[in-house]
Amino acid sequence: MCIRDRRILFLSKNTSRGGSMRVLSYVLKYLDKQRFAPTVIARDGGDLLPEFRRYAPTYVYGEDKRHLLLTSLERSFAGALKRVIAKREKRHGRRWLQAMMGRIRPHLIVHNYHAAIPLFDGVPKGAVPAIQIVSMYGAALNSLGTAQIEKFVGRATHFICQGKNVREFAHDCLGIPHERISTVCVGVDLAVPYHQLGKAKRVQRSDLGISEKDLVIATCGPLNYHKAPDIWLKAAALLQARRNQQPLKFIWIGGTERQLEGLYGRSVLRLRGELGLDPHVVITGYRQEVYPYLDLCDIYVQPSRDDAFPHAVLEAMAIGKPAVSFRQGVAAEDYAKDALVCVDVVSPEGLADGIADLIGHPLRRQTLGAAGRTLIETRFEAAATVRAYQDVLATVIEKSGQGRRFRQAR
């Protein structure tokens, strides 16, 4: 048996462009194929499926929906729809997954999701070592409920956290011993912004009704409570009142149609109007390629009230944008203290104060932008961070006893 026969099975909720799935795409791209043989099983597909399949065999359970077809009678009971699908998935999915596990025969399983997925309940617990990726914490993880958190903690022998806040939460609040936690943040693939920003036809300020005189303050993410568009809008209103001699525009990059039509999305749009911000705030809706939109901004803001390690901050810093963030993710790290503005008080007033420090100081924006770019290049370049990630994979396999079998086989 050769070293590259170390078969790693990644289990993922889907292959969308969400943070943890985007990170997994970088892992698959840069994983040393001479050391590891990766395979992915995803519950559903998504925009990144072609990217996943370019670098690893990827099987999507949701591609075959025949077992989920509902009779007209079942459709009439809309409230029970999810329960019907979950039952069928548990029955059919267990057989499907067991067949896949028999074919792949993994030496290590990586759980790249948080909330319990009935399909993956069929993974035999303890049969092979398992790693749980922790990219949620605090209120976001607690919203899963006690039973699901117990599953989350119980399905792995080792945990990978991206930074200080999450690592401390895993130990202090979930009781995971320090020796079972590794801190690795898979960073930014710098080939992606180079590709997206190199396109001749990409979004321009004029496409969004923004003039060249406007100072643009942007953020990126779904419209939900944790990302805090309400705090961001209230901070925008404060800044408009303070700096009315400086034309300001605010861009929220994200928001699916479903989010915009939901209760929270409708409330956000209503709040924008109540604050008199309709002419000043642009909500772009969901965008597959975010770098052209990030490139339009002068200041990037991460207003999240509860966010483990938001990669959008890293992405903005990667293209030299000065960043303002509450003490979440990279903003909580000592090594980043000179590379962005960290706001300690989670409030519209605190966020507005942090942004205001940059509005009237273009040289300060330029200095921070350069420092952020340097930080990404030296600490968060994807290929280098994946090397640290795969060292954790190798160590977990070695400690499980499987490493001895590799050496004996050679």
Side-chain angles (χ1 to χ4, degrees), residues 209-230:
I210 299 171
S211 78
E212 293 305 317
K213 294 180 180 180
D214 291 326
L215 188 138
V216 178
I217 299 165
T219 191
C220 182
L223 290 172
N224 61 37
Y225 175 77
H226 301 300
K227 295 292 184 181
D230 54 313

PDB file of all heavy atoms in Angstrom, residues 209-230:
ATOM      1  N   GLY A 209     -25.647  52.424 -10.095  1.00  0.00           N
ATOM      2  CA  GLY A 209     -26.061  53.789  -9.777  1.00  0.00           C
ATOM      3  C   GLY A 209     -25.114  54.509  -8.849  1.00  0.00           C
ATOM      4  O   GLY A 209     -25.519  55.400  -8.091  1.00  0.00           O
ATOM      5  N   ILE A 210     -23.838  54.154  -8.916  1.00  0.00           N
ATOM      6  CA  ILE A 210     -22.827  54.747  -8.039  1.00  0.00           C
ATOM      7  C   ILE A 210     -21.886  55.601  -8.885  1.00  0.00           C
ATOM      8  O   ILE A 210     -21.410  55.153  -9.929  1.00  0.00           O
ATOM      9  CB  ILE A 210     -22.026  53.648  -7.311  1.00  0.00           C
ATOM     10  CG1 ILE A 210     -22.960  52.804  -6.436  1.00  0.00           C
ATOM     11  CG2 ILE A 210     -20.917  54.247  -6.470  1.00  0.00           C
ATOM     12  CD1 ILE A 210     -22.303  51.574  -5.856  1.00  0.00           C
ATOM     13  N   SER A 211     -21.620  56.812  -8.434  1.00  0.00           N
ATOM     14  CA  SER A 211     -20.722  57.691  -9.173  1.00  0.00           C
ATOM     15  C   SER A 211     -19.290  57.501  -8.694  1.00  0.00           C
ATOM     16  O   SER A 211     -19.034  56.920  -7.634  1.00  0.00           O
ATOM     17  CB  SER A 211     -21.143  59.155  -8.994  1.00  0.00           C
ATOM     18  OG  SER A 211     -20.708  59.637  -7.731  1.00  0.00           O
ATOM     19  N   GLU A 212     -18.349  58.041  -9.468  1.00  0.00           N
ATOM     20  CA  GLU A 212     -16.936  57.942  -9.109  1.00  0.00           C
ATOM     21  C   GLU A 212     -16.613  58.800  -7.883  1.00  0.00           C
ATOM     22  O   GLU A 212     -15.597  58.583  -7.223  1.00  0.00           O
ATOM     23  CB  GLU A 212     -16.066  58.349 -10.292  1.00  0.00           C
ATOM     24  CG  GLU A 212     -16.141  57.385 -11.472  1.00  0.00           C
ATOM     25  CD  GLU A 212     -15.808  55.948 -11.083  1.00  0.00           C
ATOM     26  OE1 GLU A 212     -14.842  55.742 -10.322  1.00  0.00           O
ATOM     27  OE2 GLU A 212     -16.535  55.036 -11.522  1.00  0.00           O
ATOM     28  N   LYS A 213     -17.480  59.761  -7.579  1.00  0.00           N
ATOM     29  CA  LYS A 213     -17.242  60.621  -6.417  1.00  0.00           C
ATOM     30  C   LYS A 213     -17.680  59.959  -5.113  1.00  0.00           C
ATOM     31  O   LYS A 213     -17.265  60.379  -4.031  1.00  0.00           O
ATOM     32  CB  LYS A 213     -17.989  61.945  -6.586  1.00  0.00           C
ATOM     33  CG  LYS A 213     -17.472  62.806  -7.736  1.00  0.00           C
ATOM     34  CD  LYS A 213     -18.258  64.105  -7.829  1.00  0.00           C
ATOM     35  CE  LYS A 213     -17.757  64.976  -8.979  1.00  0.00           C
ATOM     36  NZ  LYS A 213     -18.532  66.239  -9.077  1.00  0.00           N
ATOM     37  N   ASP A 214     -18.531  58.954  -5.208  1.00  0.00           N
ATOM     38  CA  ASP A 214     -19.041  58.287  -4.003  1.00  0.00           C
ATOM     39  C   ASP A 214     -17.945  57.494  -3.309  1.00  0.00           C
ATOM     40  O   ASP A 214     -17.123  56.835  -3.966  1.00  0.00           O
ATOM     41  CB  ASP A 214     -20.188  57.345  -4.351  1.00  0.00           C
ATOM     42  CG  ASP A 214     -21.441  58.069  -4.793  1.00  0.00           C
ATOM     43  OD1 ASP A 214     -21.697  59.172  -4.265  1.00  0.00           O
ATOM     44  OD2 ASP A 214     -22.146  57.547  -5.671  1.00  0.00           O
ATOM     45  N   LEU A 215     -17.948  57.536  -1.995  1.00  0.00           N
ATOM     46  CA  LEU A 215     -17.110  56.631  -1.216  1.00  0.00           C
ATOM     47  C   LEU A 215     -17.972  55.422  -0.880  1.00  0.00           C
ATOM     48  O   LEU A 215     -19.041  55.561  -0.281  1.00  0.00           O
ATOM     49  CB  LEU A 215     -16.606  57.306   0.055  1.00  0.00           C
ATOM     50  CG  LEU A 215     -15.555  56.488   0.834  1.00  0.00           C
ATOM     51  CD1 LEU A 215     -14.439  57.401   1.332  1.00  0.00           C
ATOM     52  CD2 LEU A 215     -16.176  55.740   1.996  1.00  0.00           C
ATOM     53  N   VAL A 216     -17.525  54.246  -1.293  1.00  0.00           N
ATOM     54  CA  VAL A 216     -18.353  53.041  -1.223  1.00  0.00           C
ATOM     55  C   VAL A 216     -17.939  52.174  -0.046  1.00  0.00           C
ATOM     56  O   VAL A 216     -16.765  51.827   0.119  1.00  0.00           O
ATOM     57  CB  VAL A 216     -18.255  52.232  -2.530  1.00  0.00           C
ATOM     58  CG1 VAL A 216     -19.082  50.948  -2.422  1.00  0.00           C
ATOM     59  CG2 VAL A 216     -18.731  53.076  -3.710  1.00  0.00           C
ATOM     60  N   ILE A 217     -18.938  51.821   0.765  1.00  0.00           N
ATOM     61  CA  ILE A 217     -18.740  50.965   1.938  1.00  0.00           C
ATOM     62  C   ILE A 217     -19.541  49.688   1.689  1.00  0.00           C
ATOM     63  O   ILE A 217     -20.760  49.740   1.535  1.00  0.00           O
ATOM     64  CB  ILE A 217     -19.218  51.686   3.213  1.00  0.00           C
ATOM     65  CG1 ILE A 217     -18.413  52.975   3.418  1.00  0.00           C
ATOM     66  CG2 ILE A 217     -19.091  50.770   4.432  1.00  0.00           C
ATOM     67  CD1 ILE A 217     -19.020  53.933   4.421  1.00  0.00           C
ATOM     68  N   ALA A 218     -18.864  48.557   1.633  1.00  0.00           N
ATOM     69  CA  ALA A 218     -19.529  47.315   1.222  1.00  0.00           C
ATOM     70  C   ALA A 218     -19.377  46.226   2.263  1.00  0.00           C
ATOM     71  O   ALA A 218     -18.468  46.254   3.101  1.00  0.00           O
ATOM     72  CB  ALA A 218     -18.943  46.817  -0.106  1.00  0.00           C
ATOM     73  N   THR A 219     -20.300  45.279   2.197  1.00  0.00           N
ATOM     74  CA  THR A 219     -20.182  44.040   2.954  1.00  0.00           C
ATOM     75  C   THR A 219     -20.747  42.917   2.105  1.00  0.00           C
ATOM     76  O   THR A 219     -21.305  43.157   1.039  1.00  0.00           O
ATOM     77  CB  THR A 219     -20.909  44.123   4.310  1.00  0.00           C
ATOM     78  OG1 THR A 219     -20.539  42.994   5.111  1.00  0.00           O
ATOM     79  CG2 THR A 219     -22.421  44.129   4.135  1.00  0.00           C
ATOM     80  N   CYS A 220     -20.577  41.681   2.581  1.00  0.00           N
ATOM     81  CA  CYS A 220     -20.928  40.527   1.761  1.00  0.00           C
ATOM     82  C   CYS A 220     -21.486  39.413   2.641  1.00  0.00           C
ATOM     83  O   CYS A 220     -20.944  39.141   3.707  1.00  0.00           O
ATOM     84  CB  CYS A 220     -19.667  40.024   1.036  1.00  0.00           C
ATOM     85  SG  CYS A 220     -19.936  38.637  -0.079  1.00  0.00           S
ATOM     86  N   GLY A 221     -22.579  38.786   2.184  1.00  0.00           N
ATOM     87  CA  GLY A 221     -23.111  37.660   2.939  1.00  0.00           C
ATOM     88  C   GLY A 221     -24.610  37.503   2.751  1.00  0.00           C
ATOM     89  O   GLY A 221     -25.268  38.352   2.149  1.00  0.00           O
ATOM     90  N   PRO A 222     -25.156  36.415   3.265  1.00  0.00           N
ATOM     91  CA  PRO A 222     -26.605  36.221   3.217  1.00  0.00           C
ATOM     92  C   PRO A 222     -27.311  37.193   4.153  1.00  0.00           C
ATOM     93  O   PRO A 222     -26.699  37.755   5.068  1.00  0.00           O
ATOM     94  CB  PRO A 222     -26.771  34.767   3.692  1.00  0.00           C
ATOM     95  CG  PRO A 222     -25.571  34.505   4.554  1.00  0.00           C
ATOM     96  CD  PRO A 222     -24.461  35.301   3.945  1.00  0.00           C
ATOM     97  N   LEU A 223     -28.603  37.390   3.901  1.00  0.00           N
ATOM     98  CA  LEU A 223     -29.393  38.257   4.772  1.00  0.00           C
ATOM     99  C   LEU A 223     -29.952  37.418   5.913  1.00  0.00           C
ATOM    100  O   LEU A 223     -30.998  36.776   5.786  1.00  0.00           O
ATOM    101  CB  LEU A 223     -30.523  38.911   3.977  1.00  0.00           C
ATOM    102  CG  LEU A 223     -30.100  39.963   2.946  1.00  0.00           C
ATOM    103  CD1 LEU A 223     -31.300  40.380   2.092  1.00  0.00           C
ATOM    104  CD2 LEU A 223     -29.485  41.182   3.623  1.00  0.00           C
ATOM    105  N   ASN A 224     -29.227  37.378   7.025  1.00  0.00           N
ATOM    106  CA  ASN A 224     -29.724  36.669   8.196  1.00  0.00           C
ATOM    107  C   ASN A 224     -29.280  37.385   9.467  1.00  0.00           C
ATOM    108  O   ASN A 224     -28.472  38.325   9.426  1.00  0.00           O
ATOM    109  CB  ASN A 224     -29.280  35.195   8.192  1.00  0.00           C
ATOM    110  CG  ASN A 224     -27.770  35.025   8.221  1.00  0.00           C
ATOM    111  OD1 ASN A 224     -27.054  35.780   8.875  1.00  0.00           O
ATOM    112  ND2 ASN A 224     -27.274  34.021   7.507  1.00  0.00           N
ATOM    113  N   TYR A 225     -29.822  36.954  10.577  1.00  0.00           N
ATOM    114  CA  TYR A 225     -29.585  37.627  11.857  1.00  0.00           C
ATOM    115  C   TYR A 225     -28.111  37.642  12.225  1.00  0.00           C
ATOM    116  O   TYR A 225     -27.591  38.654  12.726  1.00  0.00           O
ATOM    117  CB  TYR A 225     -30.404  36.935  12.948  1.00  0.00           C
ATOM    118  CG  TYR A 225     -30.152  37.463  14.343  1.00  0.00           C
ATOM    119  CD1 TYR A 225     -30.719  38.674  14.756  1.00  0.00           C
ATOM    120  CD2 TYR A 225     -29.340  36.770  15.232  1.00  0.00           C
ATOM    121  CE1 TYR A 225     -30.487  39.164  16.029  1.00  0.00           C
ATOM    122  CE2 TYR A 225     -29.107  37.253  16.509  1.00  0.00           C
ATOM    123  CZ  TYR A 225     -29.671  38.451  16.909  1.00  0.00           C
ATOM    124  OH  TYR A 225     -29.433  38.939  18.165  1.00  0.00           O
ATOM    125  N   HIS A 226     -27.412  36.529  11.994  1.00  0.00           N
ATOM    126  CA  HIS A 226     -26.012  36.434  12.407  1.00  0.00           C
ATOM    127  C   HIS A 226     -25.135  37.413  11.636  1.00  0.00           C
ATOM    128  O   HIS A 226     -24.192  37.981  12.186  1.00  0.00           O
ATOM    129  CB  HIS A 226     -25.500  35.005  12.231  1.00  0.00           C
ATOM    130  CG  HIS A 226     -26.278  33.998  13.011  1.00  0.00           C
ATOM    131  ND1 HIS A 226     -26.387  34.060  14.382  1.00  0.00           N
ATOM    132  CD2 HIS A 226     -27.007  32.928  12.620  1.00  0.00           C
ATOM    133  CE1 HIS A 226     -27.150  33.064  14.806  1.00  0.00           C
ATOM    134  NE2 HIS A 226     -27.536  32.365  13.760  1.00  0.00           N
ATOM    135  N   LYS A 227     -25.443  37.635  10.347  1.00  0.00           N
ATOM    136  CA  LYS A 227     -24.652  38.568   9.531  1.00  0.00           C
ATOM    137  C   LYS A 227     -24.996  40.027   9.838  1.00  0.00           C
ATOM    138  O   LYS A 227     -24.269  40.931   9.445  1.00  0.00           O
ATOM    139  CB  LYS A 227     -24.877  38.285   8.046  1.00  0.00           C
ATOM    140  CG  LYS A 227     -24.366  36.925   7.592  1.00  0.00           C
ATOM    141  CD  LYS A 227     -22.856  36.832   7.644  1.00  0.00           C
ATOM    142  CE  LYS A 227     -22.365  35.505   7.087  1.00  0.00           C
ATOM    143  NZ  LYS A 227     -20.900  35.360   7.149  1.00  0.00           N
ATOM    144  N   ALA A 228     -26.135  40.281  10.496  1.00  0.00           N
ATOM    145  CA  ALA A 228     -26.505  41.588  11.059  1.00  0.00           C
ATOM    146  C   ALA A 228     -26.653  42.722  10.051  1.00  0.00           C
ATOM    147  O   ALA A 228     -26.069  43.799  10.241  1.00  0.00           O
ATOM    148  CB  ALA A 228     -25.511  41.975  12.151  1.00  0.00           C
ATOM    149  N   PRO A 229     -27.454  42.558   9.001  1.00  0.00           N
ATOM    150  CA  PRO A 229     -27.718  43.702   8.127  1.00  0.00           C
ATOM    151  C   PRO A 229     -28.427  44.845   8.856  1.00  0.00           C
ATOM    152  O   PRO A 229     -28.301  46.007   8.462  1.00  0.00           O
ATOM    153  CB  PRO A 229     -28.602  43.118   7.017  1.00  0.00           C
ATOM    154  CG  PRO A 229     -29.172  41.853   7.572  1.00  0.00           C
ATOM    155  CD  PRO A 229     -28.137  41.335   8.521  1.00  0.00           C
ATOM    156  N   ASP A 230     -29.148  44.529   9.934  1.00  0.00           N
ATOM    157  CA  ASP A 230     -29.815  45.592  10.702  1.00  0.00           C
ATOM    158  C   ASP A 230     -28.792  46.519  11.359  1.00  0.00           C
ATOM    159  O   ASP A 230     -28.935  47.743  11.338  1.00  0.00           O
ATOM    160  CB  ASP A 230     -30.760  44.971  11.755  1.00  0.00           C
ATOM    161  CG  ASP A 230     -30.063  43.959  12.653  1.00  0.00           C
ATOM    162  OD1 ASP A 230     -29.337  43.089  12.133  1.00  0.00           O
ATOM    163  OD2 ASP A 230     -30.251  44.025  13.882  1.00  0.00           O
TER     164      ASP A 230
END
